[in-house]
Amino acid sequence: MVVDALEDLASAWSSLDGSATWSRGTDCDSMAAVYCDDDGHVVALEVRNGNISASIPESITALEELSWLYIKSSELTGSLPPALFTLPNLVHVLLDANQLSGTLPSSLGSLSALVNLILSTNGFSGSIPNSLSKLTSLEYLVLQYNGFTGQIPDSLGNVTNLEALYPRLKHWQGD
């Protein structure tokens, strides 16, 4: 499954000037943007200013040790696969300045170790899910420059580690 995920990433990210090439039998971190621990587990994916022009493949969920997902200003498209937010070790999700769209899945609330969630400057819409209040380790929540509507869930007040909140909703409701 991990091999399939890496092949899917290499295929989807082939526009990264050839640096995303990867083939079976090579080390997992031989592909640019992929970082592995000493045991060969993929722990981080990082692309800045790439030209991906593709979505996050569903097979990324096979990367069970993934803790750092940082894809900034890389023309990433599509919606976030809900299964992405079932990865138990995901601590940092920074997907700002892309072309992501759709609504935020309620499965986001299952990431108990998540510290940073930065999704600014995309095309997300809908309301901010109440399930974010389950992210007890969350310190930074940056959602500005999207098309979110509604109100900030009152339950976010229960996230006691939250140091920075940048929602910038398009249409405010409530008090």
Side-chain angles (χ1 to χ4, degrees):
M1 285 253 231
V2 172
V3 171
D4 293 335
L6 289 173
E7 284 179 339
D8 288 348
L9 288 171
S11 174
W13 298 355
S14 62
S15 58
L16 292 175
D17 300 324
S19 61
T21 58
W22 184 85
S23 59
R24 288 182 190 262
T26 60
D27 293 335
C28 78
D29 58 1
S30 66
M31 183 172 95
V34 177
Y35 300 89
C36 302
D37 63 13
D38 292 338
D39 295 323
H41 299 113
V42 176
V43 294
L45 298 173
E46 183 173 342
V47 178
R48 296 178 196 173
N49 303 314
N51 186 20
I52 294 174
S53 298
S55 61
I56 298 172
E58 203 55 58
S59 60
I60 197 171
T61 59
L63 306 177
E64 294 178 355
E65 300 301 319
L66 188 66
S67 64
W68 180 271
L69 180 59
Y70 182 32
I71 305 173
K72 178 182 175 121
S73 301
S74 296
E75 299 181 32
L76 195 60
T77 62
S79 60
L80 297 175
L84 172 67
F85 300 107
T86 62
L87 290 171
N89 297 304
L90 211 48
V91 176
H92 307 283
V93 176
L94 302 98
L95 300 172
D96 50 320
N98 284 290
Q99 298 171 10
L100 294 167
S101 59
T103 60
L104 295 184
S106 60
S107 58
L108 251 167
S110 66
L111 293 176
S112 59
L114 192 66
V115 172
N116 295 305
L117 180 61
I118 301 177
L119 302 174
S120 59
T121 318
N122 278 289
F124 292 112
S125 60
S127 61
I128 297 173
N130 285 324
S131 63
L132 291 182
S133 66
K134 296 178 184 175
L135 302 176
T136 56
S137 299
L138 192 65
E139 294 177 9
Y140 293 92
L141 177 60
V142 182
L143 302 174
Q144 63 195 21
Y145 306 114
N146 282 289
F148 293 114
T149 57
Q151 61 186 24
I152 299 169
D154 291 336
S155 56
L156 273 179
N158 299 331
V159 183
T160 56
N161 289 328
L162 197 60
E163 294 179 21
L165 171 64
Y166 300 99
R168 189 170 265 184
L169 300 177
K170 202 172 197 178
H171 303 286
W172 290 92
Q173 290 179 358
D175 299 333

